[in-house]
Amino acid sequence: MTWCLAHIIRILIRCVGEAAINGKDIPSHLPTSSVHLSVPFPQKRQRKANMTALEPQSINWQVTSNRQAHHTDRFSSQELILRRGQSFNFSLSFNRSLDNGESLGFIVSTGPYPSESSRTKAVFPLSSGTSHGGWSAQLVSEQDNVLTISISSPASAPVGWYTLSTEISSQGKDFTLKLGMFILLFNPWLPEDDVFMSNHAEREEYVQEDAGVIYVGNTNRISMVGWNFGQFEQGILNICLSILDHSLNFRRDPATDVARRSDPKYVGRVLSAMVNGNDDNGLISGNWSGNYRGGLDPRNWNGSVEILKQWKNWGFRPVRYGQCWVFAGTLNTVLRCFGIPSRVVTNFNSAHDTNHNLSVDVYYDRDGRPIDKGSDSVWNFHVWNEGWFVRTDLGPSYNGWQVLDATPQERSQGVFQCGPTSVAAVREGDVNLDFDTPFVFAEVNADRITWIYDYYYNTPRQNASDTHSVGKYISTKAVGSYSRMDITEKYKYPEGSSQERQVFEKALGKLKPHASFSATSARHLAGEEKQPSISGRFKVTGLLEVGKAVSLALLLKNLTSDIKTVTVNMTAWTIVYNGKLVHEVWKDSITMSLGPKEEIRHPLKITYAQYEKYLKTDNMIRTTAVCQVSDEAEVLIERDIILDNPSLTLEVLEQAQVQKPVNVQMLFSNPLDEPVKDCVLMVEGSGLLMGSLRIDVPALRPKERSRVCFEILPTRSGTKQLLADFSCNKFPAIKAVVPVDVAE
């Protein structure tokens, strides 16, 4: 009975094998038995000894040693994951040794339509010589009918899923047998690869680090939030690979798309389009309205892992919702997953120039109210990515860091995508170079033109031109620490320097003539404006905390030797971080007289009751004052302030060890004179938790303190990052992050 069952199985497998030999396609994106260390092959019935055909019996993929050698051993999945341009070994066991006249060859292929002409398929023999840059197979050793074989891939091979088959010529017959599948990634350890990064510490940070921080806030108050990149978590690599297969390019021309996956700048550009969901059912839907019903407030995400899993589980439909740091954090995960060194970068006072004239126009009315007019804006901060690779299309001086921005702001070649833009090209004003250099150049260099709109005459009047405020404190996480590294000088020469002015004029000269004229006029006007007779600023005079009044002072100074009478119209609006207005929460008007050279301090207060209902997760309020001295142009004073949330504390209560439960506690105190309800704690951390942990926290009475205990189970040693998000009806997103040192 046992023999009969085995015989039937052999017949079925042989039929499948014959179908493959006869040219039936093998699905190229499905996981197979390549995950196993040793895979047996179906056996034909024995002939006489001198007539025995050569047949493989089993294969040992040597997954552990290969993944260690290829720096892919941190991936949680068990597939054979390799890096291009580097050899890998496996052992093939046969029923007997090879005779003279018998030969062994191999076929590798990727994508649904592999071909040798497009370099998505290669056919090569087993040899004893050395490879010459293409696919090759060498015999390492032969012992007891077991062949140890080394296969090498070219450093320019497309990345993705590959099928490996063997061609056997024996007894005058040829047949092909599929051995299994593997994943091929970019190789930043290899000098011949376009993504090669020579510095070990930087490679560890920008490829291997699976957690980090993202800088947010504004120029007066830079803060950071933790982010779980989680590129090595279970299933994430396969989801990232499926992103490419859902792109518009793949759907239009899959053969060409797969062939172009050898080029990191192509892959990066496709990903910048796919991480947003605007054109192609990509990963994330953007939302800056302040209303996040039907999805998650962007501030509530702790990392990319849950976003990627949700995208897959929802049938590859966009996840709701994201804003710039969510797009950037997720794109960073995918880039590092593929082996492209990458980092998250924040630009403070980031310009959104919609007409490529290197200036952004912002409007106010005479009462000091900001006006949503025109499509330009200046964001308190904007977050994008940099990927590290060579620019064979531009030349070696443009190699290195390249801007990739997945936030859907403007269309490029008909699609919401941005980059890769050479950072070196931005610094030198080479806005004629691919891709999207004018837009990125404007983000860090544009002039900010302020207009006062006169409703009586229904016309705007230019009030001021600011050539210095855009593109401040460009920041990224430092290598090996949580310090902020300022990289502004990588994007532009020092503000006000002769080089900075020359580069700006060079960039103008490369743009359209009408755009150059507009921006040049604005910049020259900045030096020709009549100097105002007064100056002013807002000064914070109290603690900036949610639940408390905002105490400020307007400081006005008479710059002349004459008496000046000033009428001041002031407003305060809650805003989203990109400058989108939410609601006016306070306004006031005063008239005062300033003696010669006199400085006056006028206190103002915005109560919690005034802003409570309209404050968004960014906790931002924009205060403005339009100061009018008779027969003079208005002086506009503006300040965006950020209110602090109450603190959320995470405490690891014992030494963390691999595969040993660890107790953690969360502490939170309600600072308000009213209860908070609908409290939820979300926790995640790569190497510390499988997925995310959701805990419903009981409602808190006024001033009550909450203590919540939970367990984590570390699965990998080293310093890991535990992230928490606490939300309730009064505080929609309070963040905490704590490093956890995990011992073996």
Side-chain angles (χ1 to χ4, degrees):
M1 182 69 180
T2 303
W3 182 90
C4 291
L5 180 60
H7 183 63
I8 292 170
I9 292 172
R10 290 191 186 102
I11 292 173
L12 290 172
I13 294 176
R14 186 176 301 172
C15 291
V16 174
E18 289 171 355
I21 295 168
N22 291 329
K24 296 284 182 75
D25 287 339
I26 300 172
S28 61
H29 290 72
L30 300 176
T32 70
S33 56
S34 63
V35 300
H36 300 298
L37 287 177
S38 183
V39 183
F41 287 99
Q43 299 297 302
K44 294 180 180 178
R45 296 185 65 183
Q46 290 291 315
R47 307 178 190 179
K48 293 181 181 180
N50 60 349
M51 296 291 292
T52 304
L54 183 69
E55 297 175 359
Q57 295 181 314
S58 65
I59 185 169
N60 184 339
W61 289 104
Q62 302 181 21
V63 172
T64 301
S65 58
N66 279 322
R67 285 180 40 151
Q68 288 176 346
H70 286 248
H71 308 281
T72 60
D73 50 312
R74 298 188 189 183
F75 285 98
S76 298
S77 56
Q78 295 304 307
E79 291 97 349
L80 180 59
I81 306 168
L82 307 170
R83 297 195 185 274
R84 64 184 191 175
Q86 189 173 339
S87 64
F88 67 96
N89 293 349
F90 62 95
S91 298
L92 203 52
S93 176
F94 288 89
N95 59 327
R96 60 172 176 79
S97 60
L98 270 73
D99 291 337
N100 290 333
E102 294 179 322
S103 64
L104 196 63
F106 296 94
I107 304 171
V108 293
S109 61
T110 184
Y113 305 108
S115 71
E116 292 183 78
S117 61
S118 64
R119 299 177 64 196
T120 54
K121 177 182 178 181
V123 182
F124 49 96
L126 177 65
S127 67
S128 57
T130 57
S131 64
H132 299 285
W135 286 94
S136 64
Q138 282 80 45
L139 180 62
V140 177
S141 66
E142 181 176 5
Q143 185 177 9
D144 298 331
N145 302 340
V146 177
L147 303 184
T148 299
I149 298 164
S150 175
I151 287 185
S152 297
S153 62
S156 58
V159 299
W161 273 105
Y162 277 78
T163 299
L164 176 64
S165 302
T166 183
E167 290 185 313
I168 299 175
S169 178
S170 175
Q171 303 277 328
K173 294 184 178 180
D174 299 331
F175 67 96
T176 302
L177 182 67
K178 177 179 173 180
L179 298 178
M181 299 183 72
F182 60 87
I183 296 170
L184 197 66
L185 303 177
F186 293 104
N187 194 346
W189 284 263
L190 185 72
E192 292 77 20
D193 198 304
D194 284 350
V195 302
F196 172 63
M197 178 171 270
S198 60
N199 185 285
H200 170 76
E202 291 181 350
R203 210 167 46 228
E204 285 296 304
E205 178 73 38
Y206 300 134
V207 181
Q208 300 286 67
E209 185 57 63
D210 60 2
V213 295
I214 300 174
Y215 292 96
V216 297
N218 64 17
T219 55
N220 295 315
R221 205 174 184 84
I222 296 175
S223 58
M224 66 182 187
V225 294
W227 194 264
N228 180 31
F229 300 124
Q231 67 267 32
F232 303 121
E233 292 299 289
Q234 184 70 39
I236 295 302
L237 175 56
N238 282 323
I239 296 173
C240 291
L241 289 168
S242 72
I243 293 172
L244 296 178
D245 290 346
H246 283 81
S247 72
L248 288 175
N249 291 14
F250 182 82
R251 284 183 276 166
R252 290 167 178 164
D253 186 352
T256 300
D257 173 76
V258 171
R260 296 188 68 185
R261 294 178 188 179
S262 61
D263 185 353
K265 64 179 179 292
Y266 175 79
V267 172
R269 186 161 176 80
V270 169
L271 292 175
S272 78
M274 277 301 298
V275 168
N276 71 70
N278 285 51
D279 307 291
D280 39 29
N281 276 333
L283 264 70
I284 306 165
S285 290
N287 185 342
W288 287 266
S289 69
N291 178 2
Y292 308 115
R293 282 192 292 270
L296 200 64
D297 187 319
R299 290 272 179 176
N300 290 135
W301 297 111
N302 283 323
S304 314
V305 175
E306 295 305 309
I307 293 172
L308 289 162
K309 288 181 177 179
Q310 192 174 118
W311 179 67
K312 179 188 176 185
N313 293 338
W314 282 11
F316 305 106
R317 295 195 306 272
V319 175
R320 301 174 181 175
Y321 292 106
Q323 291 173 356
C324 67
W325 69 92
V326 180
F327 292 108
T330 305
L331 178 55
N332 210 58
T333 295
V334 185
L335 291 169
R336 290 186 183 181
C337 196
F338 286 163
I340 300 176
S342 61
R343 61 188 184 185
V344 179
V345 173
T346 304
N347 177 40
F348 292 93
N349 285 356
S350 188
H352 182 178
D353 174 21
T354 58
N355 52 10
H356 292 200
N357 65 353
L358 299 190
S359 69
V360 293
D361 301 303
V362 292
Y363 296 85
Y364 295 86
D365 67 17
R366 298 187 68 180
D367 292 328
R369 296 186 183 92
I371 303 173
D372 266 332
K373 184 177 178 61
S375 52
D376 289 349
S377 57
V378 178
W379 297 24
N380 273 276
F381 67 92
H382 179 49
V383 186
W384 59 68
N385 300 85
E386 290 177 355
W388 176 274
F389 43 86
V390 303
R391 291 301 298 269
T392 53
D393 56 327
L394 303 181
S397 60
Y398 300 100
N399 292 347
W401 290 116
Q402 314 289 324
V403 172
L404 293 163
D405 192 346
T407 301
Q409 296 183 88
E410 297 295 320
R411 292 186 185 273
S412 174
Q413 298 176 329
V415 177
F416 281 102
Q417 58 188 349
C418 183
T421 308
S422 167
V423 173
V426 173
R427 190 172 197 260
E428 299 302 328
D430 293 325
V431 295
N432 56 308
L433 300 180
D434 288 339
F435 295 88
D436 308 306
T437 311
F439 185 78
V440 178
F441 184 88
E443 286 184 301
V444 299
N445 284 294
D447 292 337
R448 187 178 189 272
I449 314 299
T450 304
W451 301 81
I452 302 294
Y453 199 86
D454 192 324
Y455 284 107
Y456 182 80
Y457 293 103
N458 199 30
T459 57
R461 183 177 67 259
Q462 184 169 322
N463 174 262
S465 175
D466 182 351
T467 64
H468 301 297
S469 65
V470 166
K472 293 291 189 181
Y473 307 115
I474 304 175
S475 305
T476 191
K477 177 185 175 295
V479 173
S481 78
Y482 285 93
S483 301
R484 184 182 70 88
M485 182 166 67
D486 193 300
I487 56 172
T488 308
E489 53 91 19
K490 300 294 184 183
Y491 281 82
K492 58 184 183 178
Y493 291 96
E495 287 286 357
S497 68
S498 59
Q499 297 111 312
E500 184 261 347
R501 181 56 58 93
Q502 290 166 6
V503 166
F504 191 92
E505 297 298 333
K506 173 185 174 181
L508 287 174
K510 290 177 180 288
L511 293 174
K512 297 176 182 179
H514 68 272
S516 300
F517 176 80
S518 172
T520 303
S521 300
R523 186 155 283 221
H524 285 323
L525 185 63
E528 299 173 1
E529 291 169 353
K530 182 180 178 181
Q531 295 302 310
S533 61
I534 62 168
S535 66
R537 64 187 177 94
F538 284 109
K539 181 180 180 180
V540 176
T541 58
L543 295 176
L544 296 176
E545 295 180 356
V546 177
K548 294 185 178 179
V550 176
S551 296
L552 302 171
L554 176 64
L555 305 181
L556 290 179
K557 185 174 183 179
N558 183 356
L559 302 176
T560 72
S561 300
D562 302 320
I563 297 174
K564 296 292 180 180
T565 300
V566 186
T567 299
V568 184
N569 296 318
M570 296 174 285
T571 65
W573 287 69
T574 53
I575 61 170
V576 182
Y577 77 97
N578 67 344
K580 179 179 174 58
L581 304 173
V582 178
H583 199 278
E584 186 179 66
V585 296
W586 173 89
K587 64 180 178 180
D588 193 14
S589 294
I590 57 171
T591 300
M592 61 181 70
S593 180
L594 279 73
K597 304 294 184 180
E598 182 183 8
E599 183 171 9
I600 289 181
R601 176 189 182 104
H602 176 74
L604 58 96
K605 182 175 289 189
I606 308 168
T607 66
Y608 177 52
Q610 288 173 304
Y611 70 76
E612 173 194 2
K613 294 179 181 179
Y614 308 109
L615 191 69
K616 296 304 174 182
T617 323
D618 304 286
N619 291 353
M620 287 188 176
I621 297 176
R622 173 167 294 171
T623 56
T624 59
V626 173
C627 307
Q628 177 70 63
V629 179
S630 59
D631 299 326
E632 294 184 17
E634 299 93 337
V635 173
L636 178 71
I637 303 168
E638 178 185 77
R639 178 163 182 168
D640 290 352
I641 60 173
I642 303 176
L643 307 183
D644 288 336
N645 281 320
S647 63
L648 180 72
T649 303
L650 287 179
E651 295 180 353
V652 181
L653 301 180
E654 51 206 328
Q655 172 63 51
Q657 292 184 351
V658 173
Q659 297 300 335
K660 178 183 177 182
V662 180
N663 288 306
V664 180
Q665 72 174 5
M666 179 277 292
L667 301 174
F668 174 75
S669 295
N670 175 15
L672 303 179
D673 294 323
E674 57 184 309
V676 298
K677 58 183 181 179
D678 305 325
C679 305
V680 176
L681 178 68
M682 296 293 295
V683 185
E684 70 177 86
S686 289
L688 299 173
L689 285 165
M690 295 297 290
S692 63
L693 177 66
R694 176 192 168 103
I695 301 172
D696 292 319
V697 179
L700 295 171
R701 296 186 299 274
K703 308 298 184 182
E704 183 182 3
R705 188 186 195 198
S706 175
R707 178 176 179 270
V708 175
C709 292
F710 57 91
E711 275 189 353
I712 60 174
L713 183 65
T715 55
R716 296 196 299 272
S717 62
T719 300
K720 304 301 172 185
Q721 185 169 278
L722 187 65
L723 303 106
D725 174 83
F726 179 83
S727 60
C728 62
N729 65 322
K730 297 296 183 181
F731 303 103
I734 303 177
K735 298 292 191 181
V737 58
V738 61
V740 181
D741 293 320
V742 182
E744 283 288 357

